Amino acid sequence: MEFKNSQKLYSKGLKHLVGAVNSPVRAFASVGGNPLFIKKAKGSKITDVDNNTFVDLVLSYGPMILGHRHKKVQKAIDKALKNGYTFGASTKNEIRLAKIVCDAFPAMDKVRFVNSGTEAVLSALRLARAFTGHDKIIKFAGCYHGHSDALLVAAGSGLVTLSIPGSKGVPEGAVKNTLIAEYNNLESVKAHFEAHDDIAGVILEPVAGNMGVVTPKEGFLKELKAYLESKGALLIVDEVMTGFRSKFGGAQELFNVEGDITCLGKVIGGGFPVGAYGARNEIMEMVSPLGGMYQAGTLSGNPIAMAAGISTLTELKKQNPYEKFNAVAEKIEGFLLASAKENGVEMTVNRFGSMINPFFTNVTVTNFEEAQTSDTKRFATFFWEMMHNGVFLPPSQFEAWFLSSALSEKDLEKIKKAIEAGMLAVSKM
Ligand SMILES: *Cc1c(COP(=O)(O)O)cnc(C)c1O
């Protein structure tokens, strides 16, 4: 498999783009080599500029849950495009998407659409502060909530991969109200409440996907919510990754927990830039124009993005692929563990619905510290072998692999063979 055209574009791209990418997770910093340039994608597959076709387990880091260019989504977008691109005024489709979202998430009476997950989360923090009158926010080490200043501490995703301790350019003042707790450890949350009396709330990924996949321990979310309620603090559930992916109603439905504020992104835009935050009326009425918390956006509720979101969620609800996702992920887990065993490679596999990833460690991974025991050099070798065998993976140990409902039996067979080749290569290191 050759990557000549990608290499050429990469060299060219370096001149006017930073690292030739527009998001650092797309750089191949932790696996070596150059990033691929993509030409097109359809269904479960993605094709690069050298005409290599891969089974896509990146899916744009989550949004493309139906696979690429599902015909109903494409049709809805084509139709919307004919009416104009953006108006700076409300459209009927915003109401339709809001209803779909609020029906799926009982914790939300009202929703505000924004343009990215980052924007949804930073707005949700502002709202939590406005509602409680408190400034401090607790986040968990290894959870990623976008790149707003206050949350760029102990974050996962590209920050782990690139080993950036937080980020340069974030003033101390911006993170002084951010407290860090350990995922799956309620005591670490309680310790902060004992030390501070001005905590607005706790933000978390209900299933973490940005330190690799890490699931909440039995009872963790429920106990956390009950504890926060007793303290008058809010639970901010960042479902940017898990919303409509773990289940139509997100991880909150699966774990039977209602957050006070919910953040969404990725899947709800069907491949277009959409984020959202929502809550019960009492909280959302704080948001301008009803209340005094300001938040705005020129392109928010963009008509093309709304059409893509509505058609994606409508089709998703109809397909209801969640059981299939579990079964497919279970199979992939089986391939990974069997092949690791056969080749004497230490391995822990974590998965949740359509999110799965292997850690090259024998440690059970329930938090950020444990995730970091994974041998990232092994991952890099494994990654390239998977690529050469036609499976496109996120170029980082600490990103989840995503499944789409377009995956076929044939794709699974390809994934199995690639895993076997990958594990063999790792065993020879
Ligand atoms: C991706 C992600 C974000 C950030 O969303 P962007 O659209 O990349 O800004 C926030 N939170 C979680 C849990 C995410 O997975």
Side-chain angles (χ1 to χ4, degrees), residues 30-31 160-161 360 371-382 396-398 429:
S30 70
V31 291
V160 198
T161 304
F360 289 88
Q372 287 191 306
T373 63
S374 186
D375 186 335
T376 52
K377 287 207 179 68
R378 289 187 159 199
F379 177 80
T381 298
F382 181 78
S396 162
Q397 166 69 80
F398 302 105
M429 283 174 78

Side-chain angles (χ1 to χ4, degrees), residues 116-119 121 144-146 205 210 238 240-241 266:
S116 68
T118 294
E119 210 186 324
V121 171
Y144 178 70
H145 302 293
E205 293 179 69
N210 288 292
D238 180 354
V240 170
M241 188 181 284
K266 297 194 168 113

Side-chain angles (χ1 to χ4, degrees), residues 23 25-26 60-63 115-121 143-148 151 157 203-210 237-242 263-266 272-275 355 399 402:
S23 183
V25 296
R26 298 175 199 165
S60 192
Y61 293 86
N115 304 291
S116 68
T118 294
E119 210 186 324
V121 171
C143 282
Y144 178 70
H145 302 293
H147 65 88
S148 65
L151 292 167
S157 193
I203 183 163
L204 90 168
E205 293 179 69
V207 175
N210 288 292
V237 188
D238 180 354
E239 296 230 39
V240 170
M241 188 181 284
T242 53
C263 304
L264 294 168
K266 297 194 168 113
F272 284 77
V274 182
M355 293 154 55
E399 302 285 351
F402 294 105

Side-chain angles (χ1 to χ4, degrees), residues 1 89 151 182 212 221 249 310 417 419:
M1 189 173 283
L151 292 167
E182 186 180 67
L221 295 175
I310 292 165
K417 289 218 170 88
I419 286 173

Side-chain angles (χ1 to χ4, degrees), residues 51-178:
N51 287 324
N52 302 309
T53 294
F54 306 88
V55 175
D56 186 11
L57 299 184
V58 179
L59 299 173
S60 192
Y61 293 86
M64 306 313 296
I65 195 164
L66 301 174
H68 296 276
R69 290 197 287 138
H70 187 281
K71 63 177 188 297
K72 288 195 182 146
V73 179
Q74 182 99 41
K75 208 171 146 191
I77 294 165
D78 289 345
K79 194 175 153 206
L81 275 169
K82 294 204 171 91
N83 291 325
Y85 317 142
T86 178
F87 311 119
S90 295
T91 60
K92 197 169 158 188
N93 273 351
E94 289 163 73
I95 301 173
R96 286 180 64 203
L97 188 58
K99 178 169 166 37
I100 294 172
V101 169
C102 292
D103 284 351
F105 286 80
M108 287 194 231
D109 293 326
K110 286 187 174 58
V111 63
R112 166 64 60 84
F113 292 115
V114 293
N115 304 291
S116 68
T118 294
E119 210 186 324
V121 171
L122 75 87
S123 307
L125 291 200
R126 187 180 300 150
L127 181 55
R129 286 165 169 156
F131 185 74
T132 59
H134 290 156
D135 283 345
K136 292 204 164 59
I137 300 285
I138 298 175
K139 84 173 279 287
F140 292 97
C143 282
Y144 178 70
H145 302 293
H147 65 88
S148 65
D149 281 356
L151 292 167
L152 274 186
V153 271
S157 193
L159 293 160
V160 198
T161 304
L162 302 171
S163 298
I164 300 170
S167 166
K168 286 189 178 166
V170 174
E172 248 166 61
V175 294
K176 78 168 197 287
N177 287 314
T178 309

Side-chain angles (χ1 to χ4, degrees), residues 310-345:
I310 292 165
S311 53
T312 296
L313 296 186
T314 304
E315 176 62 17
L316 190 58
K317 189 162 192 184
K318 193 174 124 213
Q319 286 189 8
N320 192 17
Y322 301 101
E323 274 184 29
K324 179 187 160 189
F325 283 150
N326 277 330
V328 172
E330 192 177 353
K331 275 191 188 162
I332 295 177
E333 176 184 53
F335 302 155
L336 285 163
L337 292 175
S339 167
K341 195 168 170 206
E342 197 179 309
N343 290 287
V345 174

